[in-house]
PDB file of all heavy atoms in Angstrom:
ATOM      1  N   PRO A 576      93.818 138.421  -2.274  1.00 73.00           N
ATOM      2  CA  PRO A 576      93.267 137.366  -3.147  1.00 73.00           C
ATOM      3  C   PRO A 576      93.038 137.862  -4.565  1.00 73.00           C
ATOM      4  O   PRO A 576      93.157 137.139  -5.515  1.00 73.00           O
ATOM      5  CB  PRO A 576      91.955 137.000  -2.467  1.00 73.00           C
ATOM      6  CG  PRO A 576      91.588 138.194  -1.651  1.00 73.00           C
ATOM      7  CD  PRO A 576      92.832 138.945  -1.337  1.00 73.00           C
ATOM      8  N   CYS A 577      92.741 139.204  -4.741  1.00 56.00           N
ATOM      9  CA  CYS A 577      92.387 139.731  -6.051  1.00 56.00           C
ATOM     10  C   CYS A 577      93.586 139.794  -7.002  1.00 56.00           C
ATOM     11  O   CYS A 577      93.454 139.545  -8.189  1.00 56.00           O
ATOM     12  CB  CYS A 577      91.764 141.130  -5.916  1.00 56.00           C
ATOM     13  SG  CYS A 577      92.840 142.207  -4.918  1.00 56.00           S
ATOM     14  N   THR A 578      94.762 140.122  -6.457  1.00 54.00           N
ATOM     15  CA  THR A 578      95.923 140.280  -7.340  1.00 54.00           C
ATOM     16  C   THR A 578      96.395 138.945  -7.906  1.00 54.00           C
ATOM     17  O   THR A 578      97.086 138.908  -8.909  1.00 54.00           O
ATOM     18  CB  THR A 578      97.113 140.914  -6.587  1.00 54.00           C
ATOM     19  OG1 THR A 578      97.344 140.135  -5.406  1.00 54.00           O
ATOM     20  CG2 THR A 578      96.851 142.340  -6.211  1.00 54.00           C
ATOM     21  N   CYS A 579      95.997 137.871  -7.238  1.00 48.00           N
ATOM     22  CA  CYS A 579      96.512 136.572  -7.661  1.00 48.00           C
ATOM     23  C   CYS A 579      95.832 136.076  -8.916  1.00 48.00           C
ATOM     24  O   CYS A 579      96.480 135.749  -9.897  1.00 48.00           O
ATOM     25  CB  CYS A 579      96.284 135.528  -6.573  1.00 48.00           C
ATOM     26  SG  CYS A 579      97.027 136.020  -5.022  1.00 48.00           S
ATOM     27  N   GLY A 580      94.493 136.042  -8.844  1.00 48.00           N
ATOM     28  CA  GLY A 580      93.737 135.486  -9.960  1.00 48.00           C
ATOM     29  C   GLY A 580      93.936 133.986 -10.085  1.00 48.00           C
ATOM     30  O   GLY A 580      93.841 133.433 -11.164  1.00 48.00           O
ATOM     31  N   ILE A 581      94.253 133.350  -8.985  1.00 49.00           N
ATOM     32  CA  ILE A 581      94.424 131.889  -9.023  1.00 49.00           C
ATOM     33  C   ILE A 581      93.338 131.277  -8.162  1.00 49.00           C
ATOM     34  O   ILE A 581      93.137 131.708  -7.031  1.00 49.00           O
ATOM     35  CB  ILE A 581      95.786 131.481  -8.408  1.00 49.00           C
ATOM     36  CG1 ILE A 581      96.909 132.376  -8.893  1.00 49.00           C
ATOM     37  CG2 ILE A 581      96.083 130.011  -8.709  1.00 49.00           C
ATOM     38  CD1 ILE A 581      98.170 132.198  -8.080  1.00 49.00           C
ATOM     39  N   PRO A 582      92.626 130.330  -8.674  1.00 49.00           N
ATOM     40  CA  PRO A 582      91.665 129.625  -7.817  1.00 49.00           C
ATOM     41  C   PRO A 582      92.417 128.937  -6.684  1.00 49.00           C
ATOM     42  O   PRO A 582      93.519 128.442  -6.902  1.00 49.00           O
ATOM     43  CB  PRO A 582      91.037 128.590  -8.767  1.00 49.00           C
ATOM     44  CG  PRO A 582      91.429 129.007 -10.144  1.00 49.00           C
ATOM     45  CD  PRO A 582      92.669 129.788 -10.036  1.00 49.00           C
ATOM     46  N   HIS A 583      91.816 128.939  -5.509  1.00 49.00           N
ATOM     47  CA  HIS A 583      92.504 128.440  -4.299  1.00 49.00           C
ATOM     48  C   HIS A 583      92.988 126.996  -4.456  1.00 49.00           C
ATOM     49  O   HIS A 583      94.055 126.637  -3.989  1.00 49.00           O
ATOM     50  CB  HIS A 583      91.582 128.536  -3.081  1.00 49.00           C
ATOM     51  CG  HIS A 583      92.282 128.155  -1.809  1.00 49.00           C
ATOM     52  ND1 HIS A 583      93.309 128.898  -1.287  1.00 49.00           N
ATOM     53  CD2 HIS A 583      92.104 127.075  -0.989  1.00 49.00           C
ATOM     54  CE1 HIS A 583      93.748 128.309  -0.192  1.00 49.00           C
ATOM     55  NE2 HIS A 583      93.019 127.196   0.015  1.00 49.00           N
ATOM     56  N   SER A 584      92.179 126.209  -5.145  1.00 46.00           N
ATOM     57  CA  SER A 584      92.521 124.780  -5.255  1.00 46.00           C
ATOM     58  C   SER A 584      93.848 124.569  -5.978  1.00 46.00           C
ATOM     59  O   SER A 584      94.547 123.605  -5.722  1.00 46.00           O
ATOM     60  CB  SER A 584      91.411 124.013  -5.969  1.00 46.00           C
ATOM     61  OG  SER A 584      91.267 124.515  -7.288  1.00 46.00           O
ATOM     62  N   LYS A 585      94.202 125.492  -6.914  1.00 44.00           N
ATOM     63  CA  LYS A 585      95.402 125.252  -7.706  1.00 44.00           C
ATOM     64  C   LYS A 585      96.691 125.733  -7.036  1.00 44.00           C
ATOM     65  O   LYS A 585      97.765 125.567  -7.590  1.00 44.00           O
ATOM     66  CB  LYS A 585      95.244 125.905  -9.087  1.00 44.00           C
ATOM     67  CG  LYS A 585      94.280 125.153  -9.976  1.00 44.00           C
ATOM     68  CD  LYS A 585      94.444 125.522 -11.414  1.00 44.00           C
ATOM     69  CE  LYS A 585      93.882 126.904 -11.699  1.00 44.00           C
ATOM     70  NZ  LYS A 585      92.450 127.020 -11.390  1.00 44.00           N
ATOM     71  N   THR A 586      96.598 126.314  -5.830  1.00 44.00           N
ATOM     72  CA  THR A 586      97.840 126.724  -5.140  1.00 44.00           C
ATOM     73  C   THR A 586      98.649 125.503  -4.718  1.00 44.00           C
ATOM     74  O   THR A 586      99.826 125.619  -4.439  1.00 44.00           O
ATOM     75  CB  THR A 586      97.530 127.575  -3.889  1.00 44.00           C
ATOM     76  OG1 THR A 586      96.657 126.834  -3.060  1.00 44.00           O
ATOM     77  CG2 THR A 586      96.927 128.891  -4.272  1.00 44.00           C
ATOM     78  N   MET A 587      98.017 124.357  -4.711  1.00 44.00           N
ATOM     79  CA  MET A 587      98.730 123.121  -4.380  1.00 44.00           C
ATOM     80  C   MET A 587      99.851 122.831  -5.363  1.00 44.00           C
ATOM     81  O   MET A 587     100.769 122.088  -5.058  1.00 44.00           O
ATOM     82  CB  MET A 587      97.756 121.929  -4.374  1.00 44.00           C
ATOM     83  CG  MET A 587      96.875 121.842  -3.157  1.00 44.00           C
ATOM     84  SD  MET A 587      97.824 121.521  -1.670  1.00 44.00           S
ATOM     85  CE  MET A 587      98.201 119.797  -1.923  1.00 44.00           C
ATOM     86  N   MET A 588      99.740 123.418  -6.546  1.00 44.00           N
ATOM     87  CA  MET A 588     100.763 123.161  -7.565  1.00 44.00           C
ATOM     88  C   MET A 588     102.150 123.615  -7.119  1.00 44.00           C
ATOM     89  O   MET A 588     103.153 123.137  -7.634  1.00 44.00           O
ATOM     90  CB  MET A 588     100.404 123.884  -8.866  1.00 44.00           C
ATOM     91  CG  MET A 588      99.245 123.230  -9.588  1.00 44.00           C
ATOM     92  SD  MET A 588      98.706 124.248 -10.938  1.00 44.00           S
ATOM     93  CE  MET A 588     100.081 124.060 -12.048  1.00 44.00           C
ATOM     94  N   LEU A 589     102.194 124.537  -6.187  1.00 45.00           N
ATOM     95  CA  LEU A 589     103.482 125.031  -5.690  1.00 45.00           C
ATOM     96  C   LEU A 589     104.321 123.906  -5.119  1.00 45.00           C
ATOM     97  O   LEU A 589     105.534 123.887  -5.263  1.00 45.00           O
ATOM     98  CB  LEU A 589     103.259 126.084  -4.612  1.00 45.00           C
ATOM     99  CG  LEU A 589     102.696 127.405  -5.105  1.00 45.00           C
ATOM    100  CD1 LEU A 589     102.382 128.282  -3.911  1.00 45.00           C
ATOM    101  CD2 LEU A 589     103.680 128.090  -6.036  1.00 45.00           C
ATOM    102  N   ASP A 590     103.663 122.970  -4.445  1.00 47.00           N
ATOM    103  CA  ASP A 590     104.394 121.860  -3.829  1.00 47.00           C
ATOM    104  C   ASP A 590     104.687 120.747  -4.815  1.00 47.00           C
ATOM    105  O   ASP A 590     105.409 119.811  -4.505  1.00 47.00           O
ATOM    106  CB  ASP A 590     103.583 121.255  -2.677  1.00 47.00           C
ATOM    107  CG  ASP A 590     103.609 122.166  -1.469  1.00 47.00           C
ATOM    108  OD1 ASP A 590     104.518 123.004  -1.420  1.00 47.00           O
ATOM    109  OD2 ASP A 590     102.728 122.041  -0.617  1.00 47.00           O
ATOM    110  N   GLY A 591     104.084 120.853  -5.977  1.00 45.00           N
ATOM    111  CA  GLY A 591     104.255 119.774  -6.939  1.00 45.00           C
ATOM    112  C   GLY A 591     103.385 118.586  -6.591  1.00 45.00           C
ATOM    113  O   GLY A 591     103.549 117.508  -7.143  1.00 45.00           O
ATOM    114  N   ASN A 592     102.386 118.780  -5.723  1.00 50.00           N
ATOM    115  CA  ASN A 592     101.465 117.688  -5.360  1.00 50.00           C
ATOM    116  C   ASN A 592     100.070 118.043  -5.893  1.00 50.00           C
ATOM    117  O   ASN A 592      99.585 119.137  -5.671  1.00 50.00           O
ATOM    118  CB  ASN A 592     101.367 117.525  -3.833  1.00 50.00           C
ATOM    119  CG  ASN A 592     102.721 117.258  -3.222  1.00 50.00           C
ATOM    120  OD1 ASN A 592     103.543 116.594  -3.838  1.00 50.00           O
ATOM    121  ND2 ASN A 592     102.950 117.786  -2.022  1.00 50.00           N
ATOM    122  N   TYR A 593      99.448 117.121  -6.589  1.00 48.00           N
ATOM    123  CA  TYR A 593      98.111 117.391  -7.132  1.00 48.00           C
ATOM    124  C   TYR A 593      97.113 116.447  -6.500  1.00 48.00           C
ATOM    125  O   TYR A 593      97.311 115.239  -6.519  1.00 48.00           O
ATOM    126  CB  TYR A 593      98.103 117.158  -8.654  1.00 48.00           C
ATOM    127  CG  TYR A 593      99.058 118.047  -9.402  1.00 48.00           C
ATOM    128  CD1 TYR A 593     100.366 117.638  -9.643  1.00 48.00           C
ATOM    129  CD2 TYR A 593      98.665 119.312  -9.841  1.00 48.00           C
ATOM    130  CE1 TYR A 593     101.259 118.447 -10.314  1.00 48.00           C
ATOM    131  CE2 TYR A 593      99.555 120.124 -10.512  1.00 48.00           C
ATOM    132  CZ  TYR A 593     100.842 119.692 -10.756  1.00 48.00           C
ATOM    133  OH  TYR A 593     101.726 120.499 -11.427  1.00 48.00           O
ATOM    134  N   SER A 594      96.038 117.029  -5.951  1.00 48.00           N
ATOM    135  CA  SER A 594      94.965 116.172  -5.428  1.00 48.00           C
ATOM    136  C   SER A 594      93.983 115.906  -6.567  1.00 48.00           C
ATOM    137  O   SER A 594      94.099 116.499  -7.644  1.00 48.00           O
ATOM    138  CB  SER A 594      94.253 116.869  -4.274  1.00 48.00           C
ATOM    139  OG  SER A 594      93.656 118.054  -4.768  1.00 48.00           O
ATOM    140  N   GLU A 595      92.998 115.040  -6.318  1.00 50.00           N
ATOM    141  CA  GLU A 595      92.007 114.740  -7.367  1.00 50.00           C
ATOM    142  C   GLU A 595      91.238 115.981  -7.759  1.00 50.00           C
ATOM    143  O   GLU A 595      90.999 116.234  -8.923  1.00 50.00           O
ATOM    144  CB  GLU A 595      91.035 113.672  -6.853  1.00 50.00           C
ATOM    145  CG  GLU A 595      91.538 112.247  -7.105  1.00 50.00           C
ATOM    146  CD  GLU A 595      90.498 111.231  -6.683  1.00 50.00           C
ATOM    147  OE1 GLU A 595      89.341 111.356  -7.120  1.00 50.00           O
ATOM    148  OE2 GLU A 595      90.859 110.320  -5.907  1.00 50.00           O
ATOM    149  N   SER A 596      90.897 116.779  -6.749  1.00 50.00           N
ATOM    150  CA  SER A 596      90.109 117.994  -7.054  1.00 50.00           C
ATOM    151  C   SER A 596      90.905 118.947  -7.939  1.00 50.00           C
ATOM    152  O   SER A 596      90.359 119.585  -8.817  1.00 50.00           O
ATOM    153  CB  SER A 596      89.706 118.687  -5.756  1.00 50.00           C
ATOM    154  OG  SER A 596      90.890 119.078  -5.066  1.00 50.00           O
ATOM    155  N   ASP A 597      92.236 119.022  -7.698  1.00 49.00           N
ATOM    156  CA  ASP A 597      93.083 119.883  -8.546  1.00 49.00           C
ATOM    157  C   ASP A 597      93.051 119.366  -9.973  1.00 49.00           C
ATOM    158  O   ASP A 597      92.908 120.133 -10.928  1.00 49.00           O
ATOM    159  CB  ASP A 597      94.547 119.851  -8.068  1.00 49.00           C
ATOM    160  CG  ASP A 597      94.666 120.393  -6.662  1.00 49.00           C
ATOM    161  OD1 ASP A 597      93.822 121.227  -6.283  1.00 49.00           O
ATOM    162  OD2 ASP A 597      95.617 119.987  -5.951  1.00 49.00           O
TER     163      ASP A 597
END
Side-chain angles (χ1 to χ4, degrees):
C577 52
T578 53
C579 303
I581 316 167
H583 185 66
S584 62
K585 287 198 286 300
T586 55
M587 283 294 286
M588 287 171 70
L589 290 174
D590 286 340
N592 302 325
Y593 299 91
S594 62
E595 273 185 52
S596 62
D597 298 332

